Amino acid sequence: AALRGSGLLAECLALAHNAPDPLRLLDALSRAGRANLSAGRIFEGHVNAVKLLHLHDGPRDAVRQGLLHGIWGADGPDPARLEGGTLHGQKLFASGADVLDRMIVTARSDQGLHLLMFRRDQLAGRLFPGEWQVSGMKATASGRCDLEGLALADAVQLGPPDAYMTEPHFHGGVWRYAAVQLGAMRALTAMTADQLTARGQQDAPLQAMRLHRMITGCETVRLWLAQAACRIERADALPADAEAAILARLVTADQAVALLAEMDQALGAASFATAHPADRVRRDLSLYLRQAGPDALALASVTRILADPELRARWVG
């Protein structure tokens, strides 16, 4: 509701693609994540969807009206596929299944991976947000979407097959959800600082050093993400620029895990009480950091960097 009332959803027409100042988008994503990680995840999905509408010349009137968009790309045992003009299968991890107005789904055919957009009313009876039973990111309601029997003719097709996977805007987009995670890192750092001060422990050497490492971890992540945003969101971005986003995302995960450990030591057992403000953020961030296949992302990135002389010169020296 806060996102809808803020005007930010419509403002994404200018923010989501080739914005004059990409750091404004970084700031918006981080602020949303600091307020609430689930809301930040929904907002990042909206930004992603709006960017795809720009890239593939899709309809944007609904964005101007402030409607909430998202994209669902994850498959499960019954993957989404297109056969003879009819959709089959299901999407999993359908974030915002209880609130989105427009949904872009991926579906594979023998021609490649398609991007198809539906209205919420077209998916009536096909959305199962209540199946999302996890310890963190509960409010994203990332349940299941049943596509079985939907007609291709009823969808808005975005771009040719496999256009979705074009760099630098496929893996290059991972910097955005890392920006949301940075917001949670800052929220936890602020909570830690406030509670140490309230306890009179801010000058205790061990506690001060823990807080120092949390602060520098946040700034390390911000600098990496600022670099990635400025590389990916420029009009003349190159496929090789995606590595800046991938590396920034991986640095964010490493720093976030370290920050969580510092916070746990600083605040102790009290912060694990379910009523403690840090408890939900800890659970949400711990789950969010698992998106999406970080180990595979890291291995593939290192392989590309070592195989490409220009990438090796940039990142290895």
PDB file of all heavy atoms in Angstrom, residues 8 28 187 268:
ATOM      1  N   LEU A   8       5.896   5.994  -6.539  1.00  0.00           N
ATOM      2  CA  LEU A   8       7.158   5.424  -7.004  1.00  0.00           C
ATOM      3  C   LEU A   8       6.961   4.414  -8.124  1.00  0.00           C
ATOM      4  O   LEU A   8       7.825   4.272  -9.003  1.00  0.00           O
ATOM      5  CB  LEU A   8       7.874   4.769  -5.824  1.00  0.00           C
ATOM      6  CG  LEU A   8       9.347   4.395  -5.985  1.00  0.00           C
ATOM      7  CD1 LEU A   8      10.169   5.613  -6.386  1.00  0.00           C
ATOM      8  CD2 LEU A   8       9.880   3.807  -4.680  1.00  0.00           C
ATOM      9  N   ALA A  28      16.532   4.348  -4.221  1.00  0.00           N
ATOM     10  CA  ALA A  28      15.130   3.932  -4.057  1.00  0.00           C
ATOM     11  C   ALA A  28      15.039   2.469  -3.646  1.00  0.00           C
ATOM     12  O   ALA A  28      14.259   2.107  -2.748  1.00  0.00           O
ATOM     13  CB  ALA A  28      14.358   4.180  -5.353  1.00  0.00           C
ATOM     14  N   ALA A 187      19.625  -1.238   7.905  1.00  0.00           N
ATOM     15  CA  ALA A 187      18.634  -1.288   8.983  1.00  0.00           C
ATOM     16  C   ALA A 187      19.194  -2.032  10.187  1.00  0.00           C
ATOM     17  O   ALA A 187      19.036  -1.591  11.339  1.00  0.00           O
ATOM     18  CB  ALA A 187      17.356  -1.964   8.483  1.00  0.00           C
ATOM     19  N   GLY A 268      23.467 -10.419  20.958  1.00  0.00           N
ATOM     20  CA  GLY A 268      23.277 -11.602  21.784  1.00  0.00           C
ATOM     21  C   GLY A 268      21.923 -12.262  21.602  1.00  0.00           C
ATOM     22  O   GLY A 268      21.178 -11.998  20.655  1.00  0.00           O
TER      23      GLY A 268
END
